[in-house]
Amino acid sequence: MQAPLDGVARRNGSAGPLQSVGRALRVLEVIANSPDGLTAKQIAAELDLALPTTYHLLHALIDAGHVVHLSDQHVYGLGYMARYLGQALTRQLAVPPGVAGAIRAVHQDADAAAYYAVYRDTEVVIAHVEDSDRRPRAQPLDVGFHQAAHATAFGKIMLSAMGPQRLARYLDTAGLAVLTPATISDRGALEDQLAHVRQSHLALEIGEFQQGMSCMAVPVREPAGGVVASVAISLPTDEFLSRRWAVERAVRQGATRVTRALAVFQRTGDI
């Protein structure tokens, strides 16, 4: 049904409210993905929009503070409301202090960037990151990142804990994008790997998300045994392979600390 509606909108030169919102969000995403900003013509070409429609959407986004027009460069960039939204998401995903402390300990003990991922409704999302100039996070892994679960160690932990129907729905929606030559893009192969993750309580990915970078993750469980989160690290692949066992020890200890911290928080509301 979407194609006929698009055709009517193009002929009339307008779109319904829901379609306009969807297009505005797509414009915002395209601008966000460009480090140097984009011209209106570039945005229109990227999204296959008429130029007048693109200007209409840009003006609406500028009025709302989500986009700015950099007149000296003749391009459009992210507005300052984008920073506010990012800060708001970070607040909504904020973890208890004891959990943050446990992830910080993983960062220090493993000498690696450390991550904490949770379920947020139907998504797998990073809720906390601990890194440093010496051990920077893998880009673009940051608070709020919720993509490519099939290619990340923390994502594989969370996917392995899903029941068959929930996993099927998730993969139907998210897909299996190929990010590197090592990315598993075959559904059967991924399900086989997730079965192994489920048995070993450990997930690895060697260059699947980003070439030259590897990750490891273990689950965090609730008292009843269900997986509620995962603790992960990332390192350059050569170093990851040379320090694999020491890193695993630090990650497993970190998950144990997180489990204890969550239990205390649930019991007292404070850590």
Side-chain angles (χ1 to χ4, degrees), residues 3 36 44 48 55 66 78 98 105 143 145 161 173 176 191 206 218 254:
D36 300 318
D48 192 25
Y55 277 119
H66 295 296
L78 283 181
V143 173
F145 183 86
T173 301
L176 297 173
E191 290 175 350
I206 310 296
V218 298

Side-chain angles (χ1 to χ4, degrees), residues 168-186:
R169 288 195 299 270
Y170 182 92
L171 296 178
D172 285 344
T173 301
L176 297 173
V178 177
L179 305 177
T180 76
T183 304
I184 297 176
S185 58
D186 178 79

Side-chain angles (χ1 to χ4, degrees), residues 3 16-17 55 68-69 88 92 160 166 184 194 215 218 240 263 267 269:
Y55 277 119
V68 294
H69 182 222
Q92 289 187 10
S160 73
R166 183 182 177 190
I184 297 176
L194 294 180
C215 299
V218 298
F240 177 86
R267 199 164 57 242

Side-chain angles (χ1 to χ4, degrees), residues 33 48 73 120 132 140 191:
N33 286 328
D48 192 25
Q73 302 172 46
R120 194 181 193 219
S132 62
E191 290 175 350

Side-chain angles (χ1 to χ4, degrees), residues 50 57 63 75 122 142 147 152 156 158 161 167 181-182 200 212 225 241 259:
L57 295 170
D63 289 343
V75 298
T122 60
D142 204 346
Q147 299 169 318
T152 62
K156 292 177 192 288
M158 309 300 276
L167 177 62
S200 64
L241 295 174
T259 299

Side-chain angles (χ1 to χ4, degrees), residues 138-221:
Q139 294 297 329
L141 300 185
D142 204 346
V143 173
F145 183 86
H146 62 283
Q147 299 169 318
H150 67 291
T152 62
F154 64 82
K156 292 177 192 288
I157 289 289
M158 309 300 276
L159 294 181
S160 73
M162 293 182 180
Q165 292 183 342
R166 183 182 177 190
L167 177 62
R169 288 195 299 270
Y170 182 92
L171 296 178
D172 285 344
T173 301
L176 297 173
V178 177
L179 305 177
T180 76
T183 304
I184 297 176
S185 58
D186 178 79
R187 194 150 167 169
L190 177 65
E191 290 175 350
D192 288 343
Q193 187 183 71
L194 294 180
H196 178 72
V197 169
R198 200 174 299 117
Q199 293 175 350
S200 64
H201 314 295
L202 178 76
L204 304 176
E205 66 89 0
I206 310 296
E208 295 178 43
F209 180 75
Q210 187 179 107
Q211 286 185 291
M213 187 71 70
S214 294
C215 299
M216 173 188 292
V218 298
V220 174
R221 299 183 182 277

